[in-house]
Amino acid sequence: MSIATCRVDTMDEQDKFALLTQVIEEYERKPSNLIQVLHYAQSIFGFVGADVQRVIAQKMDLPLAKITGVLTFYSFFSTAPRGRHIISVCLGTACFIRGGQPILDHLKEILGIDVGETTEDQRFSLEIRRCIGACGMGPSLIIDEQVFKRLNVSGIEQILDEFE
Amino acid sequence: MIRLTINNKAIEVPEGTSILEAAKANSILIPNLCYLEDVQKIGSCRICVVEVKGMPNLQASCVTNVKEGMVVHTNSQRVRKARRVIYELILSDHPTDCLICERNQACELQTLGEILQVGETRFSGERSKIIVDDSSLAVVRDHDKCILCRRCVTTCNEIQGVRILDMIHRGFASTISTGLELPLGETSCTNCGQCVNVCPVGALKEKDATEMVWEALQDPERTVIVQTAPAVRVALGEEFGLEPGSNVTGKMAASLWDLGFDHVFDTNFAADLTIIEEGTELLQRLITNLYLDGVITEEQVKKTGIEPLTEKVALPMITSCSPGWIKYAEHYFPDQLEHISTCKSPHMMLGALIKSHFAEISGIDPDKMFVVSIMPCTAKKFEANREELRNDGRKNVDAVLTTRELAKMIKDAGIDFLNLQDRDFENPLGISTGAADIFGVTGGVMEAALRTVYEIVTGRELPFEGLHVGPMMGLDRIKSATVTIENPTEAFSFLDGAEVGIASTSGLAGAATLLAEIKEGKSPYTFIEIMGCPGGCISGGGQPRMTSEETRIKRMKGIYTEDESKTLRKSHENPFITKIYEEFLEKPLGHKSHELLHTHYIKRKKY
Amino acid sequence: MNSNRGEDMYQTGIESVRSKKDLETIQAEFIQYGKKFPWRALVCSGASCMSSNCQGVKDALESALEKYELQSAVDVVVTGCMGACSTGPTLIIEPEDVFYCGLQPKDMDELVRIHFLEKTICREKTFFNLNTGEYIPYLKDVPFFKGQEKIVLQNCGRIDFRSVEEYIANDGYLALHKALTQMSRNQVIQEISDAKLRGRGGGGFPTGLKWKLASKNESDDKYVICNANEGDPGAFMDRSLLEGDPHGIIEGMAIGGYAIGANRGVVYVKAEYSKAIERTEEAIRRAREINLLGESIFGTDFSFDIEIRIGAGAFICGEETALIASVEGERGEPKLKPPYPSDAGLFNKPTVINNVETIGNVAVIILKGAAWYSAFGTEESTGTKVFALAGNINNSGLVEVPMGTSLREILFDMGGGIPEGKKFKAALPGGPCGGCVTEEHLDVPMDFESLPELGATTGSGELICMDEETCMVICATIGSGELICMDEETCMVDVARYFMEIAQEESCGKCIPCRVGTRRMLEILERIAKGQGKEGDIELLVELGNVIKDSAFCGLGQTAPNPVLSTIELFRDEYEEHIHDHCCRAGICPDLSGGPCENVESGAKPSDKEL
Ligand SMILES: Cc1cc2nc3c(=O)[nH]c(=O)nc-3n(C[C@H](O)[C@H](O)[C@H](O)COP(=O)(O)O)c2cc1C
Ligand code: SF4
Ligand code: SF4
Ligand code: SF4
Ligand code: SF4
Ligand code: SF4
Ligand code: SF4
Ligand code: SF4
Ligand code: SF4
Ligand code: FES
Ligand code: FES
Ligand code: FES
């Protein structure tokens, strides 16, 4: 499929919906492919909003309630736009034991948001992950794709400064 | 057969029986909550847990089937303790509003508390999300009280096939909601109220109309007129402790007089009228197409006395008296709407007649009239608000009360229902035939229509034993048959030997199947009856709660008994119907009929 | 990581592998190719090392090689995780098997010069033993690797995960060939049964029996599902295995497919595992290309193909019926058993679901035989187990040890003990489902039998039941392999709260005991941690916890209270200090006074303290 190669961020809404329709076609409108379609929808639009849910329901001939029900079950999906940068604090057991919780608490405080929320200026969204694969060097967090390890509370602000 | 012991009692039950059912059949009751006979077994509430020897954990008896040699204990200390803790957990996420809750004294959760001897909880903490949604004109969601048993979800999805409700979010944040969590009134909910009927608690209820009716009754300026649907009379008694199916027509009429209604009419009268209009419409559709296809000549048409239309019309024709079904069709089959008869539903016809003909003869100002319908149905609450169901700017019906709401009013008014002397409806709009009674049950409208149409066409009585169209009776989802016309009258001679395919279904899942056939052009039928609720209005969304299969059968029997007890059992034999055509309506499908008794439908969006 | 050997990466000319001979040809070709290079430099590209910039290290290594004109002497290979993650980025140089670690790009010039030109060992870049203060250059001498037995992980960290040729050169796909051409379906199942392979996904269910049940069902369609949802919050065994040796999983699944009569496989991977998804996808593509997947494999009438399904963030989707629901596009809610997946699983067809690591054992058992395999481990728990070692421990990472190895060996010998000389407090061998193990039980062998014997102290892990006739229950606390070590500065109330938070966050919401019960337990724990605990809270937790365990619908709820019940049993005094003295001796709970909680030790009453 051409998805991987196409530049989603330069597309307008109409093209995005056309692409979504194409994805649904490629998945043969099979109900069992719903979650895979939702993954694509999220990568095309950044989140799966009301319009997108309606289109998926219509094109896949599934009840709208089912789309919402499946979508909201899985924590990976978001129904609202997220910030420009996504901060995922690792709270896997290893990072937790090594002090991940204070890192998270500190971030909540300086950003003024709770887990699952986005700052008003759309700069950051805050999320929790349960292990990002760097357990030996916890506590760790990821911003977008970048991993930060062996963190301590005092260094957090400095890290955030790198992200506009 | 499987042998096992429950509480040291040796019992024998067929294979495939659940422990819960096996216990019940042997006089051992296991408390339960999410289980609903014939509807769902999902094992989610865990109230019904029991101890099964050899199993490390307690087992949910509603979903665990019996096995040879099983040893079950349903009331050990371990089980009792677990049940109580689970019940306490439910309470910890539930308001303690019983005294002001509409389900007070009629609530499964409350009853359970009595059984388990738990009235309060040791747990407290955050409550799950509170959703109160009264956007719908028929159904109110008060999800503060929802215990997430999912009966409504299963009913809406599997029994009705409307698929409006589902579980949304997960874990503690789970709620029952609609797509996009839209207010119910903005969805393609059909208002059938089947979800309301199965809800064990006060989380789903009809939109209250009692206050509005009380107010009207107290208003000296207004003439308050009431009418009652066929299916109410075989169910209302249940609210007062009578067996399902007990006929309380006389007591119901008496209670309505006692409540202070100025006129007490019967929707059944309009049911007879519907048969005349709808039967004629069916013949008109048949004749129109035959004529336009050149199968019959103008001469032949003339002899029937029915005026053909100028354009071809859709067949099969489908009945239109169920507003749950109508709204479903508008959302899900907007391109098939021309198949639906244009007849208004009976209570709307009667409302229109009350505010025109009756106003004329009684001299009451129709603007001062307040027409109340007592219905087994929540969908009729929405229907009564439809713009297209007004004449001269006036609503045909001003308020719709469900059977349950009427019972509440009777109790509230202090009327000792069970000891009332029977009374009658008023004339002329209160007299009906047996054909009208059977409108309340699946297959009934079809049968009533055939009793009349067959006689018009052949001059003879419908050739079925006891006038009952056997294949249209019963609770099967889809029923079908072929009626062969033999020896018609001279006027209808062109129909000799014609085989007319008929079908009836109740519950919207069946409607979807029949409509899909029509959509694909493969429907073998000429006439189809569709009722929105499984079993028809006897199990409408406004009927006394917990409509099990057993209750349905009893109510159905009640309806047929009522029909059989009448001397007049065919709509066209109702002398007051003949009279109203002579004095007011002129003729079926005539100008006045069109204005007052017929309607049109609206294409709506899905979801 | 997209280019290592670049254009030179060896790729066979064989378009379709049809026979053993084809496999042998590829093997020979690859060995021939390898001979061109005196050295192989294995650069770890596991998740942890990637987060420590192993890409930069590799680039620097290649530029240095270029600078010293050594490109044709050293074959640079990117591999999966080598295990010693906390020391990453790591590098192994073959044939000497020197283990370099903690590398940075700037080190590479010197390293290349010393190792390949001067042909001596660059000592400062080798493993430093904190306990002895010595550098240990050779992998075999590094304590972390000593005592390990790599069966499942044999290729992980040793071969290029992208090269099917290299996998074949290491006897890859020979087992599949053997199964398809020399063994009947029943013989394959028998071999797995004889090897006494048991599920590594937490339940310990006998894999051979599971396969047999599915194979007996007649059906046109059957499925093999590889469960890579790996939900335990500190586990990374399955991820590392998929990332480091995807062909091993493909081969294992194909053998499973043959054994039960399935033509289709599904790998259900956690969405967060993007590298694992990418690498598995690529491996599937390549296997298809040379007909190791697809129609009539090895010219037999067996066809098999694999599809990847990406999860979307739900721990519960590791539970098999929930996983199936998720693959079918539904909410991942567990369903009733029976019917068991082996009778009616995915799309109602007979289905076998196995954990990644379980599948990772299959090929080697078929190739080397049950007798060889069952020589590892103990009588009833054969083979090895991979643990993800983390927490307050010096060497964290992946270890693979024979079943029956003691916790003490794992934590103190391989793990190198607790950092900064602190005292060991407890280990959690079963992740969020299990309980704690304290000092006195450190010598317990890690296997399927011994841990449950600890009974209440270890909780009961996951329950699995499948057998048409009787409901068979296996309690196994060995869990999935997440092994967390905690030192004296850990607050057990806080740990219990942490696990309850996860359980309640991941509860699917279907049943009341779990949906509401875990929430109430969490709230009580939160209260206690805030110093607002009440008399009777501990008893309430125990009562509630036991009811949830006893009555919840699925394994998640049935095990969720374990960490709480276990910590109450072992560390009740800590709970009491929180409640009565408003004191947290670990100094973790921010609203309480830090330890040591002297009042208790001196026998003072809470009221004295308030005065
Ligand atoms: C809540 C819950 C989560 C689970 N998560 C996983 C998981 O992430 N990975 C896994 O392999 N098995 C998991 N399991 C176990 C599976 O249900 C299943 O037993 C296992 O995949 C079978 O494979 P095995 O026999 O090879 O161990 C989980 C079970 C439960 C109850
Ligand atoms: S739903 Fe039942 S338990 Fe709840 S408040 Fe109403 S009557 Fe009471
Ligand atoms: S039961 Fe008790 S509280 Fe309720 S009304 Fe009667 S006296 Fe009052
Ligand atoms: S009223 Fe009928 S259609 Fe509407 S939600 Fe309830 S069951 Fe579904
Ligand atoms: S609304 Fe009623 S029927 Fe529906 S889940 Fe809640 S309690 Fe059950
Ligand atoms: S079947 Fe009767 S109760 Fe049900 S929606 Fe139709 S009219 Fe209303
Ligand atoms: S062992 Fe227990 S939990 Fe497992 S399937 Fe059997 S009854 Fe269910
Ligand atoms: S125990 Fe928890 S996860 Fe399992 S079914 Fe119940 S609510 Fe869902
Ligand atoms: S002092 Fe309190 S918080 Fe700290 S370890 Fe002890 S009991 Fe836990
Ligand atoms: S627990 Fe944080 S990286 Fe594994
Ligand atoms: S009635 Fe059996 S679990 Fe709810
Ligand atoms: S990721 Fe490199 S050693 Fe584990």
Side-chain angles (χ1 to χ4, degrees), chain C residues 311-336:
Chain C
F315 177 61
I316 187 63
C317 288
E319 196 280 335
E320 47 195 12
T321 57
L323 186 155
I324 287 171
S326 186
V327 175
E328 290 173 352
E330 308 274 345
R331 292 164 61 86
E333 289 171 359
K335 295 225 177 76
L336 278 172

Side-chain angles (χ1 to χ4, degrees), chain B residues 203-372:
Chain B
L204 287 171
K205 52 197 173 193
E206 61 270 69
K207 185 110 173 181
D208 180 80
T210 57
E211 274 316 306
M212 189 164 51
V213 175
W214 280 122
E215 241 165 65
L217 285 171
Q218 305 289 315
D219 185 347
E221 292 288 297
R222 281 202 265 189
T223 303
V224 189
I225 302 165
V226 69
Q227 54 167 322
T228 68
V232 176
R233 58 207 68 185
V234 292
L236 179 63
E238 292 164 41
E239 294 280 337
F240 301 92
L242 297 179
E243 267 295 290
S246 315
N247 189 316
V248 294
T249 317
K251 291 195 192 324
M252 176 176 70
S255 68
L256 293 169
W257 288 114
D258 286 358
L259 276 167
F261 287 100
D262 298 301
H263 298 278
V264 180
F265 294 136
D266 194 356
T267 310
N268 282 21
F269 172 82
D272 278 335
L273 187 59
T274 303
I275 289 304
I276 305 299
E277 289 289 328
E278 202 165 275
T280 314
E281 185 185 351
L282 177 66
L283 286 172
Q284 186 189 46
R285 288 191 186 215
L286 275 170
I287 289 167
T288 300
N289 285 1
L290 290 174
Y291 171 62
L292 293 177
D293 284 345
V295 181
I296 55 173
T297 62
E298 200 167 336
E299 200 127 322
Q300 283 172 302
V301 173
K302 275 229 175 81
K303 278 193 212 161
T304 65
I306 291 170
E307 230 171 274
L309 299 162
T310 51
E311 272 176 47
K312 280 192 76 173
V313 276
L315 282 172
M317 186 178 90
I318 312 173
T319 57
S320 60
C321 44
S322 166
W325 142 242
I326 295 297
K327 188 150 184 278
Y328 176 76
E330 290 177 330
H331 285 291
Y332 293 80
F333 293 93
D335 296 330
Q336 276 67 43
L337 294 177
E338 71 269 26
H339 286 272
I340 305 175
S341 159
T342 56
C343 287
K344 286 181 182 174
S345 71
H347 81 125
M348 286 301 186
M349 284 195 181
L350 194 65
L353 285 178
I354 289 170
K355 290 191 180 180
S356 54
H357 178 54
F358 181 70
E360 224 171 88
I361 58 176
S362 65
I364 302 167
D365 176 359
D367 284 325
K368 299 262 161 71
M369 284 181 167
F370 189 84
V371 175
V372 179

Side-chain angles (χ1 to χ4, degrees), chain B residues 55-56 59, chain C residues 337 340 463-465 471-473 558:
Chain B
M55 295 289 208
Q59 304 293 305
Chain C
K337 288 187 271 189
Y340 297 104
L463 288 171
I464 287 252
C465 148
C471 179
M472 182 167 159
V473 182
Q558 286 160 9

Side-chain angles (χ1 to χ4, degrees), chain C residues 426-452:
Chain C
L428 278 166
C433 313
C436 301
V437 176
T438 48
E439 176 75 41
E440 59 174 317
H441 291 117
L442 272 184
D443 292 312
V444 66
M446 295 291 280
D447 59 34
F448 289 113
E449 291 73 43
S450 313
L451 278 164

